Amino acid sequence: MIAQHALVLNLHQPAGNLEGLLEHREWEAKEILFAMDRIPRSLWGYEDLARVHLSLSGTLLATLSDTTFQERVYGSVDCGSLLWYFQNQELFEILGTGYYHPVLPLIPEADRSAHLERWQGIARHLFWRGHFQGFWLPEMGFSMELIPLLRAFGYRYVLVDSEHVEPLTKMSWQELRYRPHLARYGNDSIIVVVRDRDLSNAQESGMELDWFLAEVAERTKWCDFVPLVTTCTDGENGGWFRNVTPGANFWSAFYQPLLERIRAAEAAIKPVFIHDHLDNYGVLGEVRVNTGAWNTGWHDGRGFTQWTGSARQRATLADIRAVSAAIHAARAAIPDGAAEGGAAVPLPEVEEAYWLLLRAETSCNFYWGEDWVGRADADLAAARAALARVGLAPPEPPEAAAKP
């Protein structure tokens, strides 16, 4: 049985991060840009074989499409051409995601749709298409209550981590991990595609091609179906992806040699787009996906400890909920006179506060322990100030939640 391989890469940079790196750590910024630019260039000539799923956060897309930023880095990477290359539907399947890359289960439910809506707005413009079949959860942070939201935005499938999937239909270990399934919440259901955590760990840190082929063969040898082996990692972080030396990075040391083996009929694996696999083989049964994220260097994804482990992280998340509640209350009760053409429109100060809040919800603000929590605090303070200008600011955080 020839296994099918879905390669998924997440590309994300927080708002202003690349600009800041260019100012203070120029080579690191260039490594990131080179890593992204290397993706399409490594696949040219393999359009008949290569299949790559890409998730690009809204903040990254905004940076790459900004003409000022494009001019600034033009001598290193042509960002306009890079976005054009990513439009190649023979090579790339673009996955939907959240604009500011929030851990969706950790932010207020009322804010989640804005992240999805704003991402679709910029992605439809840059990629010249109106529909995206798959969804990449930032940090793979999933909870079952997200299913109706994802379906409302038209997504057919979502990627989830293998450690959180429990079968509700009788199935083998191989079937659970290497076949798509349905997950239901209320009256809504969505297809879940299972990321193989072990193989993804290897993909992230650097793996030998022979080891990968042998491992896939061993894991799928009892399959009496066409298995879908899904590996998901960041695509521009870590030395394995950033290394500029030919023959020493993911593309030149692993993926191109894999494609050459496949072309020579020397590998029992075939790259595939997930939507094609679904069209051809469908789903097996029903599962429940427990709340959690993918694994990081610090934790296994359960309980979102990476983003909630300290009192200060939890206090800022509580402040996000307070500011969010004030903003949504203000948007629901628009003051007299805030109308245009007979239709009510939010006050500019409220909308300014809202986008500051959404940016504060960026996962990176909480990922690095307490190192970046101050960025979320600054955006929340600015959101409060915008609301205060129209007399709508929520109470300040209690002393117990005060930040050093």
Side-chain angles (χ1 to χ4, degrees):
M1 186 71 67
I2 295 180
Q4 298 198 333
H5 178 219
L7 171 61
V8 183
L9 298 177
N10 171 55
L11 305 177
H12 164 59
Q13 293 295 312
N17 193 59
L18 281 174
E19 294 89 338
L21 289 175
L22 282 171
E23 192 69 29
H24 302 290
R25 299 202 300 271
E26 183 179 7
W27 176 244
E28 184 176 351
K30 289 185 175 180
E31 279 186 319
I32 293 170
L33 290 169
F34 291 155
M36 291 187 286
D37 190 57
R38 192 177 300 120
I39 297 172
R41 296 180 184 277
S42 299
L43 303 179
W44 291 341
Y46 296 102
E47 285 82 0
D48 58 324
L49 295 174
R51 302 291 183 267
V52 180
H53 303 76
L54 292 179
S55 166
L56 299 98
S57 68
T59 48
L60 175 60
L61 290 175
T63 296
L64 294 178
S65 61
D66 180 74
T67 55
T68 300
F69 182 82
Q70 290 180 351
E71 291 172 0
R72 187 176 180 185
V73 301
Y74 183 76
S76 300
V77 170
D78 184 344
C79 295
S81 294
L82 177 60
L83 290 170
W84 175 257
Y85 300 150
F86 285 156
Q87 290 185 30
N88 186 340
Q89 296 185 55
E90 289 186 332
L91 294 172
F92 300 113
E93 174 80 358
I94 303 298
L95 303 174
T97 189
Y99 188 91
Y100 285 106
H101 201 266
V103 181
L104 288 170
L106 293 182
I107 68 172
E109 182 179 357
D111 297 339
R112 295 169 186 169
S113 61
H115 285 280
L116 273 62
E117 182 178 17
R118 193 173 190 191
W119 183 88
Q120 286 193 351
I122 191 171
R124 286 170 174 163
H125 170 69
L126 292 176
F127 296 115
W128 287 75
R129 67 198 71 172
H131 182 62
F132 302 88
Q133 292 201 44
F135 191 82
W136 173 260
L137 294 150
E139 312 291 2
M140 295 201 87
F142 184 83
S143 63
M144 295 288 284
E145 65 182 13
L146 295 174
I147 291 174
L149 175 68
L150 299 180
R151 292 296 298 138
F153 276 84
Y155 293 108
R156 180 185 186 189
Y157 68 86
V158 61
L159 291 140
V160 298
D161 189 79
S162 57
E163 296 303 304
H164 305 310
V165 184
E166 295 182 353
L168 299 180
T169 302
K170 185 178 180 180
M171 61 185 74
S172 66
W173 181 91
Q174 291 85 0
E175 288 172 325
L176 179 65
R177 187 166 296 213
Y178 300 126
R179 290 201 66 177
H181 309 286
L182 280 180
R184 300 182 189 276
Y185 187 86
N187 295 324
D188 292 288
S189 65
I190 196 168
I191 297 171
V192 296
V193 175
V194 182
R195 170 208 190 221
D196 187 304
R197 178 178 284 196
D198 298 329
L199 293 177
S200 297
N201 288 344
Q203 176 176 295
E204 179 181 33
S205 58
M207 58 184 172
E208 294 182 353
L209 175 55
D210 287 333
W211 175 89
F212 175 76
L213 292 174
E215 192 69 16
V216 170
E218 179 65 24
R219 287 168 175 258
T220 62
K221 66 182 181 181
W222 301 115
C223 294
D224 58 358
F225 56 90
V226 176
L228 176 64
V229 178
T230 305
T231 56
C232 311
T233 63
D234 287 339
E236 88 288 26
N237 289 322
W240 179 231
F241 283 91
R242 292 189 186 181
N243 195 317
V244 298
T245 304
N249 57 55
F250 171 83
W251 299 104
S252 56
F254 174 78
Y255 200 67
Q256 287 178 331
L258 171 63
L259 297 177
E260 291 294 345
R261 292 271 194 99
I262 294 170
R263 183 169 282 170
E266 297 174 353
I269 198 167
K270 176 185 177 182
V272 68
F273 285 136
I274 292 171
H275 70 263
D276 286 332
H277 183 92
L278 294 175
D279 290 344
N280 290 324
Y281 302 105
V283 301
L284 171 61
E286 189 170 339
V287 298
R288 172 179 175 80
V289 184
N290 295 319
T291 299
W294 62 359
N295 54 306
T296 69
W298 290 268
H299 80 115
D300 66 0
R302 294 180 176 87
F304 301 114
T305 306
Q306 187 76 45
W307 301 270
T308 64
S310 75
R312 186 178 181 193
Q313 288 169 311
R314 293 190 294 272
T316 298
L317 288 168
D319 197 18
I320 280 175
R321 292 191 290 272
V323 174
S324 174
I327 289 172
H328 287 287
R331 297 179 97 215
I334 298 169
D336 291 339
E340 185 176 283
V345 295
L347 291 172
E349 293 83 359
V350 175
E351 290 306 281
E352 177 187 349
Y354 194 29
W355 293 118
L356 286 164
L357 168 69
L358 297 178
R359 190 172 68 182
E361 293 169 347
T362 300
S363 68
C364 301
N365 290 341
F366 302 91
Y367 181 89
W368 304 105
E370 298 183 357
D371 291 352
W372 280 26
V373 174
R375 300 185 182 204
D377 292 333
D379 276 341
L380 292 173
R384 274 192 162 84
L387 292 175
R389 294 199 296 270
V390 288
L392 297 170
E396 290 296 321
E399 285 297 321
K403 317 300 189 305

